């Protein structure tokens, strides 16, 4: 089995571009991509290779492997290792932007104090998701009204202004910020498409790309939106060799336009013969067989390469609460996470190697991560919690600090727009001084509660200001009430939604399926068109040794029969 899996990997390492490499979970995609890159000769080349991912984690992992192999030259020009956003920005957008104002790429509009104004209430720009059709000839696109989060939808529905008025103000706000030099990934894609379709712009952009890159590799290609694929098609048409690596069965970002059928159609044009990786170096044979029931094409299970664990799939009959804090394991009457922890101990799976996941944040017990699209007071409450949490991760602490800086700067410098770094440059504020001030402010705040807002406001007014501060009355006050995070369960088991788990894994994984009808969906829906099944597929394939599923008590027997029909060992516990 190992020999066959290694042979597949080696074939993918040496395949001639253009090519498509469908890779099952745990197939070693990063190993294949970096091995392909490591074959580059050591001498200085005029042409390099671009390794493109969708996350900074994957980017950093690929760069780290090159350095560990003694090939630091492979992370430098003429090569490129980065996210798709940064690639499009550096090579298809920024070269044609004016130097003044300095163009800047933002992770999201939440990074700046971008408010939609001129209507009957102010709402942060980042709370309005946008949609961009590949044929759209605009740098702004349209508002995806059907993708609004609940809180934003409530605010809009209560507004006296129509959605057309809101859309006009939203697009005007985005345009204004773009004119100041700020762009997010959405605008970058719109501009990149326009540039590639404009003969004069393309004539300026494509020759440097063709000269610099002998190959462009796109990791996690299943996450490409229709606009991303349109851009890649234009690069392919310009004779830039492409290699796409990904798993259409893990396409779980339909909300931003990623669909497996679109990738399949593009991959077929790119390369009629895919070079499939079916060796799973992560999961046990039982988990591989479980995952095969949730994917398209009725293909046989992937091959477990390095594991021989035979731990059965655990089915946990559960009484689900409306929210994730009080899900009860029906047979024992204890909390579901505690029951899961007890069961994993039987199989010698430690707590730190366990993970509980679900489709929605509301389903998760003890969620402590910052939720997307929250209001500013809720984000600050999360940041305060992180600052008081022993052992908080460096990423969470950095995010908490950034939130506190934005809150303080919104009060101290109300008339100044732009990211905090621009305000810091204007007033010559050292970053370490700003960060120390932000952390001290967070530590000074009382624990969040429903009436926390007035206390935060008093603390902001009393806190010693940094140089150049010029508060103006109530500007910068954080409105609303915080949505309070529940404390983490004492088990020490990690929790997160499935959409945040790409690239993650654990010895034991518990997937929560609270909705009635989940088993019927599992048995009859088509994963090619049902993203929920693909979300469940991603969840169970995070597991190395043990997979557990909590579902309504009355549906447990039906799922047991379904899995038994596929000869999957299971245990109702």
């Amino acid at each position: 089995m190992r020999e066959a899996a290694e042979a597949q990997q080696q074939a993918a390492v040496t395949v001639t571009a253009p090519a498509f490499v469908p890779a099952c979970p745990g197939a070693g995609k990063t190993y294949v991509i970096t091995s392909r890159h490591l074959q580059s000769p050591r001498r200085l080349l005029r042409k390099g290779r671009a390794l493109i991912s969708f996350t900074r984690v994957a980017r950093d992992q690929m760069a780290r492997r090159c350095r560990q192999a003694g090939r630091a030259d492979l992370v430098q020009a003429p090569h490129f290792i980065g996210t798709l956003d940064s690639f499009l920005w550096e090579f298809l957008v920024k070269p044609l932007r004016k130097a003044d104002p300095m163009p800047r790429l933002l992770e999201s509009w939440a990074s700046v104090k971008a408010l939609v104004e001129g209507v009957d209430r102010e709402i942060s720009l980042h709370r309005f998701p946008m949609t961009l059709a590949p044929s759209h000839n605009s740098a702004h696109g349209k508002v995806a009204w059907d993708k609004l989060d609940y809180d934003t939808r409530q605010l809009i529905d209560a507004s006296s202004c129509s959605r057309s008025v809101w859309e006009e103000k939203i697009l005007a706000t985005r345009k204004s910020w773009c004119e100041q030099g700020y762009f997010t990934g959405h605008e970058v894609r719109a501009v990149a498409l326009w540039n590639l379709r404009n003969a004069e712009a393309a004539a300026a952009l494509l020759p440097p790309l063709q000269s610099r890159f002998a190959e462009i590799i796109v990791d996690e290609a299943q996450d490409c939106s229709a606009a991303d694929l349109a851009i890649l098609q234009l690069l392919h048409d310009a004779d830039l060799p492409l290699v796409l690596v990904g798993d259409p069965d893990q396409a779980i970002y339909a909300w931003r336009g990623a669909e497996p059928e679109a990738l399949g159609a593009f991959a077929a044009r790119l390369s009629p013969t895919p070079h499939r990786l079916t060796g799973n170096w992560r999961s046990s044979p039982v988990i591989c067989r479980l995952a095969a029931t949730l994917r398209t094409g009725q293909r046989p299970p992937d091959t477990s390469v390095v594991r021989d664990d035979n731990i059965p799939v655990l089915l946990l009959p559960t009484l689900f609460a409306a929210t994730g804090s009080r899900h009860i394991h029906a047979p024992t009457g204890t909390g579901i996470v505690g029951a899961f922890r007890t069961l994993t101990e039987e199989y010698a799976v430690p707590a730190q190697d366990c993970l509980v996941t679900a489709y929605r944040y509301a389903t998760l017990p003890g969620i402590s991560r910052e939720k997307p699209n929250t209001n500013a007071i809720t984000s600050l409450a999360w940041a305060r919690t992180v600052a008081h949490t022993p052992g908080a991760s460096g990423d969470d602490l950095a995010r908490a600090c950034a939130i506190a800086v934005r809150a303080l700067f919104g009060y101290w410098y109300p008339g100044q727009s732009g990211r905090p770094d621009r305000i810091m440059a204007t007033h010559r504020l050292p970053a370490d001084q700003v960060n120390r001030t932000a952390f001290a402010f967070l530590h000074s705040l009382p624990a969040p509660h429903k009436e926390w807002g007035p206390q935060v406001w008093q603390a902001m007014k009393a806190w010693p200001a940094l140089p150049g501060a010029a508060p103006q009355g109530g500007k910068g006050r954080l409105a609303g009430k915080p949505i309070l995070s529940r404390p983490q369960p004492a088990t020490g088991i990690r929790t997160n939604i499935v959409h945040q788990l790409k690239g993650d894994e654990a010895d034991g994984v518990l997937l929560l399926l609270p909705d009635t009808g989940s088993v019927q969906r599992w048995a009859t829906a088509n994963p090619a068109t049902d993203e929920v099944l693909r979300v469940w597929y991603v969840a169970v394939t995070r597991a190395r040794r043990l997979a557990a599923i909590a579902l309504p008590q009355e549906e447990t027997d039906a799922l047991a029969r379904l899995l038994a029909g596929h000869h999957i060992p299971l245990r109702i516990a």
Side-chain angles (χ1 to χ4, degrees):
M1 291 186 291
R2 177 186 286 269
E3 292 78 8
E6 289 176 341
Q8 287 182 341
Q9 289 182 332
Q10 186 57 32
V13 167
T14 58
V15 63
T16 301
F20 175 49
V21 181
C24 74
K29 292 188 289 78
T30 304
Y31 168 80
V32 168
I33 293 171
T34 52
S35 294
R36 186 178 180 91
H37 195 36
L38 287 168
Q39 289 187 331
S40 303
R42 288 184 178 272
R43 65 180 182 274
L44 184 63
L45 298 176
R46 184 182 176 208
K47 285 197 173 185
R49 179 182 283 110
L51 309 186
I52 300 173
S53 66
F54 278 83
T55 66
R56 291 190 296 270
V57 173
R59 172 202 66 188
D60 294 344
Q61 187 178 12
M62 290 188 288
R64 184 169 57 252
R65 289 194 177 188
C66 289
R67 292 190 179 97
Q68 289 173 343
R71 297 297 308 276
D73 58 299
L74 294 180
V75 303
Q76 301 167 0
H79 308 290
F80 172 87
I81 300 179
T83 63
L84 180 59
D85 281 9
S86 62
F87 178 84
L88 300 179
W89 174 250
E90 291 295 334
F91 300 108
L92 297 178
V93 176
K94 189 177 177 181
L96 299 184
R97 302 304 303 176
K98 294 183 296 185
D100 187 22
M102 179 185 296
R104 295 173 184 267
L105 176 62
L106 305 177
E107 184 174 339
S108 82
W109 290 117
S111 303
V112 295
K113 190 173 62 176
L115 298 176
V116 180
E117 301 173 317
V119 278
D120 59 353
R121 60 201 63 204
E122 293 182 351
I123 302 179
S124 295
L125 183 59
H126 79 277
R127 299 180 71 171
F128 295 99
M130 303 293 290
T131 181
L132 177 68
S135 58
H136 205 279
N137 193 26
S138 165
H140 300 287
K142 297 181 179 180
V143 178
W145 293 107
D146 59 326
K147 301 294 193 302
L148 293 184
D149 65 86
Y150 175 81
D151 291 339
T152 307
R153 189 166 60 251
Q154 292 290 98
L155 290 171
I156 296 298
D157 290 344
S159 171
S160 61
C161 300
S162 67
R163 287 196 172 184
S164 61
V165 170
W166 272 100
E167 180 138 13
E168 178 185 349
K169 297 298 183 182
I170 292 164
L171 295 181
T173 303
R174 299 178 82 96
K175 181 179 179 181
S176 172
W177 279 92
C178 289
E179 289 172 348
Q180 296 178 57
Y182 292 100
F183 294 81
T184 71
H186 173 84
E187 290 77 29
V188 164
R189 283 160 173 76
V191 175
L193 268 174
W194 190 92
N195 285 344
L196 288 174
R197 288 170 175 161
N198 179 277
E200 183 178 352
L205 293 171
L206 287 174
L209 276 175
Q210 294 161 334
S211 175
R212 176 166 176 173
F213 295 118
E215 183 174 277
I216 298 174
I217 303 179
V218 181
D219 187 21
E220 302 288 4
Q222 75 277 354
D223 294 340
C224 287
S225 67
D228 296 334
L229 293 177
I231 292 169
L232 293 176
Q233 179 68 62
L234 290 167
L235 295 179
H236 175 63
D237 293 343
D239 295 325
L240 280 157
L242 301 180
V243 177
L244 271 57
V245 184
D247 182 2
D249 294 311
Q250 295 188 64
I252 61 172
Y253 296 106
W255 60 270
R256 67 185 187 199
E259 293 292 346
E261 295 94 336
L263 173 62
F266 177 68
R269 295 193 299 271
L270 195 69
S271 172
T273 305
H275 296 264
R276 191 175 295 277
L277 300 178
T278 60
N280 188 323
W281 299 74
R282 175 192 300 153
S283 301
S284 71
V286 171
I287 294 167
C288 289
R289 289 159 67 181
L290 172 67
T293 68
L294 285 167
R295 69 184 184 190
T296 58
Q298 298 183 337
R299 304 193 307 276
D302 299 316
T303 301
S304 178
V305 179
V306 296
R307 296 195 180 279
D308 56 7
D309 302 82
N310 198 37
I311 301 174
V313 175
L314 304 182
L315 304 185
L316 280 59
T318 304
L319 304 174
F320 284 96
T323 59
S325 57
R326 297 186 181 181
H327 302 325
I328 301 300
H329 181 231
T332 62
T334 61
I336 192 62
V337 175
F340 174 59
R341 178 71 199 105
T342 299
L343 288 166
T344 58
E345 287 176 343
E346 295 184 25
Y347 299 100
V349 177
Q352 63 268 26
D353 280 331
C354 290
L355 173 66
V356 177
T357 189
Y359 185 85
R360 294 182 293 270
Y361 275 108
T363 305
L364 283 174
I367 188 68
S368 66
R369 291 184 179 268
E370 186 193 14
K371 301 178 184 180
N373 298 325
T374 54
N375 57 26
I377 192 72
T378 296
S379 291
L380 189 65
W382 174 85
R384 190 269 180 199
T385 300
V386 168
H388 284 261
T389 301
S393 71
D395 286 345
D396 280 350
L397 288 170
R399 177 70 181 146
C401 180
I403 290 170
V405 169
R406 277 208 313 274
L408 289 171
F409 277 21
Y411 171 59
W412 285 336
Y413 311 102
Q416 300 180 38
S417 62
R419 291 201 313 186
D421 59 350
R422 184 175 287 184
I423 296 174
M424 289 162 61
T426 299
H427 297 281
R428 298 182 179 180
L429 301 174
D432 57 350
Q433 179 187 8
V434 171
N435 291 337
R436 286 196 303 269
T437 299
F439 273 119
F441 174 71
L442 283 177
H443 275 281
S444 75
L445 294 175
H449 54 87
K450 290 184 178 180
E451 304 301 326
W452 193 53
Q455 290 181 300
V456 170
W457 178 235
Q458 293 303 319
M460 291 175 69
K461 291 193 294 183
W463 200 257
L466 291 173
Q472 297 178 13
K475 290 189 176 181
R477 181 170 185 169
L478 304 184
K481 297 181 178 180
I483 300 172
L484 304 178
S485 298
R486 297 180 294 274
Q488 282 278 37
T491 58
I493 294 175
R494 290 183 293 133
T495 63
N496 211 339
I497 60 169
V498 181
H499 287 84
Q500 299 295 325
L501 295 182
K502 282 295 189 74
D504 202 352
E505 58 186 66
D507 274 1
V509 172
L510 171 63
L511 171 61
L512 305 177
L513 300 182
D515 297 331
T516 301
S518 292
V519 176
Q520 178 70 12
R521 187 173 205 157
W522 193 317
T524 62
N526 181 3
T529 56
D530 191 334
E531 188 185 50
V532 172
L533 292 185
R534 301 197 296 270
V535 170
W536 297 351
Y537 176 80
V538 169
V540 300
T541 56
R542 302 309 94 192
R544 291 188 288 257
R545 298 179 54 215
L546 181 153
I549 300 165
L551 69 166
Q553 184 176 14
E554 62 273 16
E555 297 202 6
T556 307
D557 288 342
L559 183 56
R561 290 192 295 272
L562 173 64
L563 298 185
H566 290 277
H567 308 291
I568 297 170
L570 60 92
R571 171 188 171 189
I572 299 177

